[in-house]
């Protein structure tokens, strides 16, 4: 009698997961991390991947969501959130920055981010769908480079935080330079955890801040600069840009911005991603070494 070969348990990467909020961490005045407990589910994700959260599951958003759907003439879609956790960590985590409504500038008030940031208590159950996305740390990273440069702004640092934590935990043979743009020192997400990780791995992690609206930026440390991320700053900290693998993530012009500009004939001002991609290319990073994710 022939023996039946053992059945390999397949894990599907994209699936719905019931999770419970195990902890909420207020990172900055408008940003919160939710630690999510997923029971015994096998979590198959790569550092950099995102999940989605459907706003329809929250009772408190029912009327508001229906009103926006009526105004927009279409169903509200699930929102994407990068995983802030690394696959080696016990909890899944997402970090959400609250979108603002600016009368005359934004067409509609934001739907989901305000409640995720301010109104989700510990113990809340929710459904997420994951995990996916083209922006992740490749398995063969050590054969591609020994230097990863992370160029991020605001909540755009979330997937890179996962990548950095994972690579350092696995002791991969790569060092990291993070160039992180924010408005002020108080807006820097994971500031203390980032400093702890940097001091644990001084040879492998270098952190550079660019603060566009901080009155006395340089007083916060030797690698804290006033202004925006630009080619000069990249050149100052990245000795051989052509040999580095670059992961850039942050806000970009949205399709709504582009549509509005078309209607009004207004000229669009580039946002973070449009300006840093130009800067990164100008310092000699080949396109094939460039990984991009836009939040718009
Ligand atoms: C791959 C990916 C990963 C992401 N990861 C993160 C993350 O880790 N953390 C994070 O905070 N965010 C992340 N985001 C952004 C996130 O998905 C949401 O876009 C953000 O939270 C805002 O959602 P909201 O429901 O609050 O706002 P929305 O209701 O989506 O509104 C946002 C803006 O869009 C405008 N808008 C919406 N619909 C229309 C319309 N029909 N016509 C004109 N204008 C419109 C609104 O006026 C407003 O200015 C990510 C996005 C992507 C694509």
């Amino acid at each position: 009698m022939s023996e039946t070969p053992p059945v390999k348990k397949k894990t599907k990467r994209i699936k719905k997961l019931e999770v419970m909020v195990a902890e909420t961490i207020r990172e900055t005045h408008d940003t919160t991390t939710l630690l999510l407990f997923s029971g015994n589910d096998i979590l198959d994700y790569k550092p950099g991947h995102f999940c989605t959260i459907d706003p329809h599951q929250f009772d408190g958003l029912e009327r508001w969501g229906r009103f926006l759907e009526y105004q927009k003439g279409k169903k509200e879609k699930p929102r994407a959130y990068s995983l802030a956790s690394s696959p080696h960590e016990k909890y899944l985590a997402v970090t959400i920055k609250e979108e603002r409504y600016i009368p005359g500038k934004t067409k509609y008030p934001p739907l989901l981010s305000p409640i995720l940031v301010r109104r989700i208590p510990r113990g809340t159950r929710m459904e997420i769908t994951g995990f996916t996305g083209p922006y992740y740390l490749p398995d063969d990273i050590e054969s591609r480079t020994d230097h990863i440069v992370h160029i991020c702004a605001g909540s755009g640092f979330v997937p890179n935080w996962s990548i950095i934590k994972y690579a350092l935990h696995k002791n991969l043979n790569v060092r990291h330079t993070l160039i992180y743009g924010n408005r002020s020192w108080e807006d820097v997400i994971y500031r203390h955890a980032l400093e702890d990780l940097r001091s644990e791995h001084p040879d492998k992690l270098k952190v550079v801040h660019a603060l566009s609206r901080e009155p006395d930026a340089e007083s916060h440390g030797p690698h804290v600069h006033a202004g925006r991320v630009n080619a000069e700053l990249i050149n100052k900290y990245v000795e051989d840009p052509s040999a580095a693998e670059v992961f850039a993530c942050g806000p970009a012009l949205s399709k709504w911005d582009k549509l509005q500009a078309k209607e009004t004939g207004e000229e669009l001002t580039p946002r973070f991603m449009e300006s840093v991609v130009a800067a990164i290319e100008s310092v000699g990073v080949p396109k094939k070494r460039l990984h991009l994710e836009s939040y718009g």
Side-chain angles (χ1 to χ4, degrees):
M1 214 165 66
S2 67
E3 252 184 61
T4 325
V7 180
K8 263 198 173 170
K9 206 174 166 192
K10 269 197 178 171
T11 55
K12 231 171 92 191
R13 185 164 277 157
I14 308 285
K15 59 180 181 183
K16 285 190 186 340
L17 277 181
E18 288 286 340
V19 296
M20 191 194 73
V21 177
E23 197 66 69
T24 68
I25 303 162
R26 181 52 72 90
E27 303 284 357
T28 71
H29 68 105
D30 62 359
T31 304
T32 298
T33 294
L34 304 176
L35 297 188
L36 306 172
F37 178 61
S38 59
N40 295 324
D41 271 303
I42 297 168
L43 301 174
D44 186 13
Y45 69 97
K46 289 185 183 289
H49 271 160
F50 67 83
C51 65
T52 62
I53 304 180
D54 191 336
H56 294 95
Q57 65 186 298
F58 300 102
D59 289 345
L61 286 181
E62 203 249 347
R63 289 173 187 78
W64 188 220
R66 280 175 63 186
F67 173 73
L68 286 175
E69 286 178 347
Y70 178 70
Q71 294 293 320
K72 297 177 187 177
K74 61 183 171 81
K75 203 165 181 268
E76 289 288 357
K77 290 192 181 134
R79 282 17 178 196
Y81 293 101
S82 301
L83 293 167
S85 48
S86 154
H88 74 276
E89 292 175 323
K90 177 178 172 192
Y91 292 117
L92 283 172
V94 284
T95 300
I96 306 103
K97 185 178 168 71
E98 182 182 27
E99 278 283 326
R100 292 273 155 201
Y101 176 60
I102 307 163
K105 194 157 182 271
T106 43
K107 191 162 177 184
Y108 301 107
L111 177 60
L112 185 58
S113 60
I115 78 144
L116 293 181
V117 171
R118 303 193 183 276
R119 296 194 187 281
I120 300 288
R122 217 159 97 174
T124 303
R125 287 175 188 280
M126 64 168 98
E127 190 180 86
I128 65 171
T129 302
F131 304 97
T132 189
Y135 187 81
Y136 61 84
L137 187 69
D139 293 338
D140 63 348
I141 189 70
E142 289 164 295
S143 62
R144 295 184 186 205
T145 188
D146 65 353
H147 189 195
I148 303 181
V149 177
H150 305 261
I151 301 185
C152 306
S155 60
F157 178 46
V158 175
N160 294 59
W161 179 227
S162 171
I163 292 173
I164 291 173
K165 286 189 293 181
Y166 178 84
L168 292 176
H169 172 79
K170 289 280 176 190
N171 202 18
L172 299 186
N173 193 20
V174 279
R175 65 203 161 85
H176 304 261
T177 301
L178 164 65
I179 304 181
Y180 190 10
N182 278 286
R183 284 185 181 183
S184 75
W185 190 234
E186 294 306 319
D187 286 319
V188 177
I189 305 174
Y190 318 127
R191 203 177 77 208
H192 298 294
L194 189 53
E195 180 48 29
D196 289 348
L197 203 62
R198 194 201 60 76
S199 39
E200 263 174 55
H201 302 274
D203 302 333
K204 280 194 155 178
L205 176 59
K206 190 191 284 174
V207 180
V208 178
H209 294 279
L211 304 176
S212 60
R213 295 200 196 158
E214 180 70 37
D216 197 8
E218 278 84 2
S219 68
H220 295 290
H223 302 312
V224 185
H225 298 270
R228 293 178 191 280
V229 178
N230 55 26
E232 200 189 330
L233 199 62
I234 301 171
N235 265 329
K236 183 176 161 97
Y237 286 99
V238 184
E239 63 286 0
D240 184 2
S242 66
E245 203 85 10
V246 177
F247 287 75
C249 182
L253 288 167
S254 70
K255 64 174 174 187
W256 313 119
D257 297 327
K258 290 176 190 162
L259 221 72
Q260 195 177 331
K262 218 172 168 186
E263 278 167 19
T264 58
E266 249 176 79
E267 207 174 302
L268 282 167
T269 315
R271 295 191 74 197
F272 177 78
M273 286 304 280
E274 287 81 18
S275 57
V276 300
V277 168
I280 293 165
E281 287 179 354
S282 78
V283 302
V285 176
K287 274 203 168 74
K288 65 172 186 206
R289 288 189 177 275
L290 191 48
H291 308 255
L292 304 173
E293 181 126 287
S294 301
Y295 294 1

